[in-house]
Amino acid sequence: MWKVIALDLDGTLLGHGGQIAAVTIAALGDFAAQGVWITIATGRGFEDTERFMEENGLGSAAGFPHSLICEERDLYILENAGYAADEVWNGTLLEREKQALPELRRCAAEYGRTAPCFINSLWFQEKRGFVEMTFGTVEQAAEFCQQASQNGSWPAGFRPVRNHRGVTFRHETVGKGAVLTELLRRLDVTPGEVLAMGDSHNDLDMLMCGVWPATTDNADDLIKEVVRSGQGYVSEQVSSLGVADVLKNFRP
Ligand SMILES: [Mg+2]
């Protein structure tokens, strides 16, 4: 039996239109009723994530997910009145990332001259704490990411993280894997008691932090390879139907 289930949002729990299949919600409800801690782990901000939960009847109304990992950095725990931010954790990591914004901005602008990309606005950079470059295609983003990984001109401690066509530069203490690891420490759960699901590059560190990995048919090929090599489960169904399939059939 899993002690924690960690789920990416877009492309995993959410399909097109932001809907979660009823069969998936029911399966998650069964696990929650048995005391399993369910957490979302997403690159989306809190407002979006909370809205998707409410629109699907989750959150306070359902009693789960018990926590939200948002922006691949911030932690929110479900309490009676709703999700409460972990102010200390979130504030510390946001500040750590924001300190590097001026240098990251300079680097992104320099690379932007040689690559076809859109850079998020200063307003978003200040609010969310990171610079994001969005490319025309996944291949362009992947190629940039590959080059940037080998280029030492980025601020120390930062690394490129790709999510489909977008590339962000994030501090090494931030990421779905790092925050999930912190959550497991607090819950006194070992990674071997955890199921984690994601479909994209920004899920890699979460899928590779010692947990049991699973993914859906719509996932990037690289993600499927990583899941298979980690003795995980690749569903033949897409997004939330794939999650339901994994919950029903994956018994390592
Ligand atoms: Mg995803």
Side-chain angles (χ1 to χ4, degrees), residues 5-17:
I5 296 173
L7 300 169
D8 165 50
L9 213 47
D10 291 87
T12 302
L13 191 57
L14 295 181
H16 289 299

Side-chain angles (χ1 to χ4, degrees), residues 2-14 20-21 23-29 31-32 36-44 49 52-53 58 64-72 74 83 176-177 179-180 183-184 194-200 202-203 206-207 211-216 233 235 239-248 250:
W2 309 116
K3 287 195 176 167
V4 171
I5 296 173
L7 300 169
D8 165 50
L9 213 47
D10 291 87
T12 302
L13 191 57
L14 295 181
I20 305 172
V23 64
T24 310
I25 292 175
L28 288 171
F31 277 101
V36 180
W37 183 284
I38 296 167
T39 188
I40 299 297
T42 179
R44 280 189 185 265
T49 307
F52 281 121
M53 294 301 105
L58 301 180
F64 69 91
H66 304 86
S67 56
L68 308 175
I69 295 168
C70 300
E71 306 279 26
E72 298 166 20
D74 304 333
Y83 290 99
K176 295 185 184 189
V179 187
L180 178 61
L183 179 64
L184 298 183
V194 178
L195 166 67
M197 289 190 68
D199 70 315
S200 189
N202 66 333
D203 296 303
M206 173 172 78
L207 298 174
V211 301
W212 290 97
T215 193
T216 50
Y233 185 100
S235 175
S239 40
S240 74
L241 291 177
V243 174
D245 176 36
V246 167
L247 294 175
K248 185 170 176 224
F250 185 32

Side-chain angles (χ1 to χ4, degrees), residues 87-147:
E87 303 284 359
V88 174
W89 174 267
N90 297 358
T92 302
L93 291 182
L94 176 63
E95 208 42 50
R96 193 174 291 163
E97 293 210 291
K98 282 178 76 168
Q99 279 179 1
L101 277 180
E103 199 177 343
L104 285 167
R105 243 173 233 144
R106 277 198 300 277
C107 294
E110 194 176 308
Y111 275 80
R113 290 199 198 97
T114 59
C117 69
F118 168 83
I119 299 172
N120 63 343
S121 71
L122 297 183
W123 186 85
F124 268 111
Q125 291 172 11
E126 289 294 334
K127 180 176 192 289
R128 303 183 71 181
F130 54 83
V131 174
E132 181 173 45
M133 304 170 78
T134 304
F135 291 81
T137 65
V138 169
E139 289 72 25
Q140 286 170 345
E143 189 185 345
F144 171 81
C145 220
Q146 176 82 11
Q147 290 170 359

